[in-house]
Amino acid sequence: MKPVVHAVAGGAAMLTIASFWVATVISELFLDHAAVAAVKHAIVYGLFLLVPTLVATGGSGFILARTRRGRLVTRKQTRMRFIAANGVLVMIPAALFLNSQAAAGRFDASFYAVQAVELLVGAVQLTLMGLNFRDGRRLAGRQCPRAALSDPLSGQTLG
């Protein structure tokens, strides 16, 4: 049951982050400021889904890793710490700042600078979570195709 909780929570977290990212890009590129403000507001409410799914992913992963050792487990744990730090130190404060600025109609240089950081860190989060997903499948015995990718944290070639 724990592996199912871990997979479902991790998948839900990835989909939530991806939906935030896509909604932001679409609203910024194709819609007006009112739509951007609505997206920023929805993202803040979406944090009430995202944070528990990330906690469930990390907690269930920690429980699953108690009985496992090895390079893949260590990589997943290292990435998860980085994902958590990015979320707490960058993503949540950025979402709250952007929502307050958009609600006040302040679409200035600071708004777009923070928006750029949020999009960049969101892409990093999705990449790291994707690598964890792949390594989790390998740990579960469901091999993913080997790819000549490098782990952004360790610099090692993966695959």
Side-chain angles (χ1 to χ4, degrees):
M1 184 63 160
K2 290 176 219 153
V4 172
V5 169
H6 186 67
V8 169
M14 282 184 71
L15 287 173
T16 303
I17 293 171
S19 69
F20 291 174
W21 201 91
V22 169
T24 294
V25 170
I26 289 172
S27 69
E28 288 289 355
L29 292 178
F30 302 112
L31 303 175
D32 61 7
H33 284 154
V36 171
V39 166
K40 295 300 156 198
H41 189 69
I43 287 172
V44 169
Y45 279 105
L47 293 175
F48 290 102
L49 170 66
L50 179 60
V51 171
T53 58
L54 286 172
V55 169
T57 303
S60 59
F62 179 78
I63 290 168
L64 290 168
R66 284 191 300 187
T67 61
R68 307 284 305 254
R69 296 289 174 257
R71 192 175 60 177
L72 290 178
V73 173
T74 302
R75 280 192 212 151
K76 282 179 60 93
Q77 289 172 332
T78 301
R79 285 188 212 115
M80 198 61 204
R81 286 185 197 103
F82 193 73
I83 290 165
N86 277 342
V88 171
L89 299 175
V90 179
M91 301 300 286
I92 291 174
L96 296 173
F97 172 81
L98 292 170
N99 180 51
S100 70
Q101 294 294 99
R106 287 191 289 262
F107 296 95
D108 55 10
S110 64
F111 177 90
Y112 288 108
V114 172
Q115 181 67 81
V117 169
E118 183 185 49
L119 287 170
L120 176 65
V121 173
V124 168
Q125 296 288 77
L126 288 169
T127 300
L128 294 174
M129 292 174 85
L131 291 169
N132 272 3
F133 179 81
R134 185 208 51 214
D135 287 348
R137 289 186 48 86
R138 286 184 178 159
L139 284 167
R142 297 179 190 100
Q143 287 287 71
C144 294
R146 296 174 85 76
L149 299 174
S150 64
D151 186 328
L153 295 180
S154 69
Q156 296 176 346
T157 300
L158 305 174

